[in-house]
Amino acid sequence: MRTKIAAIAIAFVAVAVVPAARAQVTSSRGQRLLANDHEVKHVIVMVADGMGLADVTAARIRKNGISGPSLRFETLDEVGYQRTYSQKNTVTDSAAAASAWACGEKFVNDEVCLHGDGRPNNPNLLQLAMAEGWAAGIVSTQTITNATPAAFGAHVGNRDCESEIARQYVEVTRPDVILGGGRNTFTGAVPDLCGNWGNYVAEAMGSGYTYVVNRDQLQAAVIGNARRLLGLFKGGYMTPEIMRSPTSTEPHLSEMTAAALATLDRINDRFFVMIEGAAIDLANHVEWLDAQVAEVSAFDDAVGVVLDWIDASEERRQHTLLIVLVDHETGGFALMGTEVAGAEPLGFFTGGWTFVMPPPTTPLVVAGHTGTDTMIWSQGPGSEALGKAIDNTTIYEVVKAVLR
Ligand SMILES: [Zn+2]
């Protein structure tokens, strides 16, 4: 979801920051290594859509207490933050923000790695990885054709071209693992904004993808050594955690993450994967604290799966670049209390959102995105360039430098 706000034209100056770690040496095998001798074999990009730093504080207090341990993603070695403005707006949408990471330039809101003014665009990071022979995957709790994953697998002029995005996944980009919601956009019977529709599930199955629609089928496909995996677990976006029944057959983000890692690691000793917790954004759009906390917690569980996977071997520890990113803040969330000494129990707070947009444009969307800078947590070779204040396009430069 995104909110249209009156455009404030921002003069765009591309600032490409080249990380110091790009200097390379040659190993005895003739492979180029990073200067730190830790050649990167796995790049794992995890996106917490719409999560401000206050959301992190709220989830940590609710989960671990006011002085309790950090969330898993807070334990990463490098902590930085990024500017998020898009080509024409102070406040970005998910499409322009993800395109800045995936394709290395500022884009106009709604554009997915395709400039509307005809300028050529870079191939996205997933395509660069696959061109180097790496396996690749995209995972999201949104429709998998939604803006954030789309920037890593497609080039379209508008994010609402979701059937066209599905077509590009299946016919052009062909990531090895595709997991999320969005069954309807893969089997669309009416044209999308680009005039496209079709049954891309049937096409994917015909070209080697194992297709699954629930948790049991997903786990069976992993155990059965599927080489290409298409999982579409709901017609639209996957059910937010707080609304799921105990008998839900939709896999959690942590379960999709485990399935993606197992599959990608089995088919190739190098892989790139983007994993998105999308419903933090949805919770902030509707200003629902319990839902927000549940989604940050579920996202942290997925980061925990990744960290446990990395820590299972020294080889993975040395050769995995993990980056946890936020595309934009949503709603202007803050923790509030009275400040009167001892007036409320330590750890108590009320949640408030600064974004008020009366009247609501739809019954669901209350708040919009904000233009505040967003967090970056990272670890592994290459992450030294991310523990500082950077522009979101710098993510592209850093990852591109290690995809070799
Ligand atoms: Zn949003």
Side-chain angles (χ1 to χ4, degrees):
M1 292 188 198
R2 74 285 191 195
T3 303
K4 304 285 199 304
I5 297 174
I8 300 168
I10 301 292
F12 164 53
V13 180
V15 182
V17 179
V18 179
R22 289 188 74 177
Q24 291 178 322
V25 296
T26 303
S27 76
S28 58
R29 289 178 296 157
Q31 292 175 318
R32 287 181 299 176
L33 303 177
L34 291 166
N36 62 7
D37 288 337
H38 289 171
E39 183 184 26
V40 176
K41 297 181 179 177
H42 318 294
V43 174
I44 303 172
V45 174
M46 302 188 74
V47 178
D49 201 300
M51 182 179 77
L53 189 53
D55 305 27
V56 179
T57 313
R60 188 184 59 241
I61 291 174
R62 285 280 187 92
K63 191 171 183 179
N64 298 338
I66 189 81
S67 59
S70 300
L71 298 175
R72 297 294 301 269
F73 59 79
E74 292 183 281
T75 67
L76 272 59
D77 295 334
E78 301 284 345
V79 181
Y81 61 95
Q82 62 195 312
R83 303 178 187 192
T84 66
Y85 70 95
S86 59
Q87 188 181 328
K88 293 187 176 180
N89 290 74
T90 306
V91 179
T92 190
D93 75 336
S94 292
S99 296
W101 296 330
C103 290
E105 292 183 294
K106 297 293 185 183
F107 285 81
V108 177
N109 289 0
D110 289 338
E111 290 178 351
V112 178
C113 280
L114 186 67
H115 292 299
D117 57 15
R119 278 181 294 141
N121 44 268
N122 295 320
N124 65 52
L125 291 175
L126 183 143
Q127 290 176 297
L128 291 174
M130 293 188 80
E132 295 287 336
W134 296 32
I138 47 177
V139 178
S140 177
T141 52
Q142 248 290 2
T143 62
I144 196 61
T145 46
N146 198 255
T148 305
F152 292 87
H155 298 269
V156 295
N158 190 293
R159 56 186 292 164
D160 289 338
C161 297
E162 291 201 51
S163 289
E164 170 60 15
I165 291 164
R167 186 193 72 77
Q168 292 189 26
Y169 289 170
V170 173
E171 294 183 356
V172 182
T173 323
R174 293 181 59 78
D176 303 280
V177 172
I178 304 170
L179 300 176
R183 208 151 57 220
N184 294 347
T185 61
F186 266 72
T187 55
V190 293
D192 66 13
L193 193 67
C194 291
N196 191 27
W197 75 96
N199 189 338
Y200 300 108
V201 169
E203 195 170 326
M205 291 173 74
S207 67
Y209 282 87
T210 299
Y211 177 56
V212 298
V213 299
N214 60 43
R215 171 187 290 117
D216 288 348
Q217 290 180 359
L218 175 64
Q219 290 172 350
V222 172
I223 292 168
N225 296 332
R227 295 196 63 80
R228 288 182 186 280
L229 197 48
L230 172 63
L232 299 173
F233 305 104
K234 194 138 182 270
Y237 61 83
M238 293 176 69
T239 307
E241 289 288 337
I242 201 166
M243 298 170 73
R244 290 195 190 191
S245 80
T247 57
S248 170
T249 63
E250 294 177 57
H252 297 291
L253 184 63
S254 56
E255 294 170 309
M256 293 196 290
T257 297
L261 291 177
T263 302
L264 293 168
D265 190 38
R266 177 164 44 72
I267 65 176
N268 199 314
D269 65 351
R270 290 167 195 246
F271 65 80
F272 174 95
V273 63
M274 192 293 303
I275 299 165
E276 182 195 27
I280 304 166
D281 180 57
L282 302 183
N284 279 317
H285 274 298
V286 299
E287 302 189 350
W288 186 0
L289 177 58
D290 290 346
Q292 178 212 81
V293 167
E295 292 301 328
V296 173
S297 182
F299 177 76
D300 195 49
D301 289 344
V303 175
V305 166
V306 170
L307 287 172
D308 291 345
W309 180 87
I310 292 170
D311 288 340
S313 88
E314 185 59 30
E315 195 268 350
R316 290 174 185 167
R317 263 197 293 276
Q318 289 190 10
H319 300 293
T320 304
L321 172 58
L322 169 61
I323 308 174
V324 176
L325 294 168
V326 178
D327 52 355
H328 54 73
E329 198 274 349
T330 300
F333 175 73
L335 284 72
M336 299 181 296
T338 65
E339 297 177 49
V340 176
E344 62 265 326
L346 194 58
F348 173 87
F349 63 88
T350 53
W353 288 260
T354 55
F355 203 110
V356 182
M357 190 175 62
T361 54
T362 77
L364 276 180
V365 179
V366 177
H369 300 170
T370 69
T372 192
D373 293 353
T374 61
M375 299 302 297
I376 307 164
W377 296 268
S378 62
Q379 70 173 45
S383 65
E384 315 80 42
L386 299 174
K388 53 187 74 170
I390 59 177
D391 189 78
N392 57 3
T393 54
T394 303
I395 300 296
Y396 174 86
E397 303 296 334
V398 172
V399 175
K400 183 183 176 187
V402 303
L403 289 177
R404 294 181 187 138

